[in-house]
Amino acid sequence: MNRRTAIGIGGGAAGIALFATLAIAMMSEPPSPIPLWKVEEKPYLRQVTAEGNLKAVKATPLSAPAQAQGPLKIGWIADDGVAVKSGDVIVRFDGTDFERDLLEGKEERSRTGNRIEGAEADAGATRTNLGRDARIAQRELESAQSFQITDAEIFSRFELIESGIDEGLAVEKKEYAEQMRLVRDQLFQAERDLLGIDERKAGHRIDRASKGLSSLEVVAPHDGILVLTRNWRGELPRVGASVWSGFPIGEIPELGSMKVEAYVLEADAGGISEGQEAEVVVESYPDRKFKAKVEKVDPIAKPRFRGSPVQYFGVTLAIDETDPKIMKPGSRVRATITLEKSDAAIAIPRQAIFDQKGKKIVHRWTGSGFETVEVELGNSTVGSIAVKKGLEPGDQIALKAPETVAARDEDASGEK
């Protein structure tokens, strides 16, 4: 074998080897339109964000005076967040309605008293007249009985009958006068009871107005910062608004211990429970972070803003440390709640998971093609989902369904 022949044979062998290498490489790579994701075991952290406000753990509540019976109209109110001292006026209510009720109540009671006096005078006069009629009837009866004609031999039959009629009439007059006096007394008592109701109504009106006038101010029980209470619409009490007795107006908190009342979107709230760790940042001091824990989770999601269909779960966070210098009641805060934390877990992108007859599957690359693998999923974050079973570190999975890509390529080839 000469040198040229040897070179040719060597070159052919090298070409065959190169072709085989390329073939193996081509077989180990998936079709180019299908991107792959390499499965790795990494630390896994699932968190949700929440927004809310600081609130004191302990606070002295301020409410509309309980002794005021009826609505109270706010005439003046201190600003939210203002520093107050013991005895300072927090709310001053408008007393115009109470003054009018007091005046009208006194006038009504005076009119009712005059009507009662008039009814008593009329009843007294009627009672006197009926008593006089009864006495006259009694005298007539006695006279008729004293001079009754009974001798039929001396008096005529007509005189005998007339004498009996006079006696019966006197009896009837007496009984009628006594019965009328009894009926008149009953009518007067009924009228007196009705007037007594009006009199008590006027007295209640006067008493209510007097109590209202005596409770037109709410004062601070001690020094502190005033925090007004928002209603279900998120509005603060304002001048002109009406409140009822016992209605919460605000509070004066103790600044030594704070908590967070935060709100989490309903879609992100899955898995939140008491005791989970959180991190709180006061928006006015973004460089400071405070550790906290979930203390309470509302059982029902509710709208946070009026007219908005978005639902939120209310979450109360207990802060480990309170810094009164930067933490004020009502300050806006951002919280990050840790729902799940693991040092080693498998998490894959959402687009790598597909549905097949009600099962969750992925397409795993084997080197020569894709195989369908059923997976058991765990919790999810915004872009990824934890996998409990079905995958191992080092696996490569498709981010697109292979059959969809193949069908698209066939359609493109047919068009060409």
Side-chain angles (χ1 to χ4, degrees), residues 112 114-123 126 183-199:
T112 303
N114 292 335
R115 291 173 60 189
I116 291 175
E117 291 179 359
E120 289 177 346
D122 292 342
T126 302
V183 170
R184 289 292 182 179
D185 287 342
Q186 292 175 347
L187 289 175
F188 166 72
Q189 186 60 42
E191 184 180 5
R192 179 66 180 81
D193 291 341
L194 292 175
L195 291 174
I197 292 174
D198 292 339
E199 186 178 34

Side-chain angles (χ1 to χ4, degrees), residues 75-107:
W76 178 86
I77 187 168
D79 295 331
D80 184 36
V82 69
V84 296
K85 293 185 177 297
S86 178
D88 286 353
V89 177
I90 303 297
V91 182
R92 185 176 292 112
F93 298 103
D94 184 10
T96 304
D97 293 340
F98 293 116
E99 292 174 352
R100 184 184 64 249
D101 287 345
L102 180 62
L103 180 61
E104 292 179 354
K106 289 182 177 179
E107 292 178 351

Side-chain angles (χ1 to χ4, degrees), residues 245-319:
S245 60
F247 184 86
I249 296 173
E251 60 184 18
I252 300 179
E254 296 181 11
L255 305 180
S257 180
M258 293 286 170
K259 62 182 178 180
V260 175
E261 290 189 347
Y263 300 90
V264 180
L265 280 170
E266 182 181 17
D268 298 335
I272 294 182
S273 61
E274 296 180 7
Q276 291 174 334
E277 296 181 355
E279 193 174 69
V280 175
V281 176
V282 182
E283 290 190 350
S284 54
Y285 295 89
D287 296 333
R288 291 288 304 275
K289 296 181 180 179
F290 299 89
K291 293 182 179 181
K293 286 186 178 180
V294 177
E295 186 178 71
K296 179 183 176 183
V297 181
D298 289 349
I300 301 175
K302 300 177 182 178
R304 186 180 176 187
F305 304 104
R306 184 184 181 188
S308 173
V310 182
Q311 304 278 339
Y312 293 84
F313 276 96
V315 179
T316 302
L317 304 177
I319 304 175

Side-chain angles (χ1 to χ4, degrees), residues 301-360:
K302 300 177 182 178
R304 186 180 176 187
F305 304 104
R306 184 184 181 188
S308 173
V310 182
Q311 304 278 339
Y312 293 84
F313 276 96
V315 179
T316 302
L317 304 177
I319 304 175
D320 293 348
E321 177 189 1
T322 298
D323 188 349
K325 294 181 180 179
I326 66 175
M327 290 183 169
K328 305 298 181 184
S331 298
R332 290 182 57 85
V333 298
R334 288 180 287 106
T336 303
I337 304 172
T338 300
L339 304 183
E340 189 174 354
K341 185 178 181 181
S342 175
D343 294 334
I346 293 176
I348 61 176
R350 288 178 178 270
Q351 61 265 35
I353 301 171
F354 305 92
D355 288 320
Q356 187 181 74
K357 296 181 180 179
K359 298 180 180 180
K360 299 297 182 182

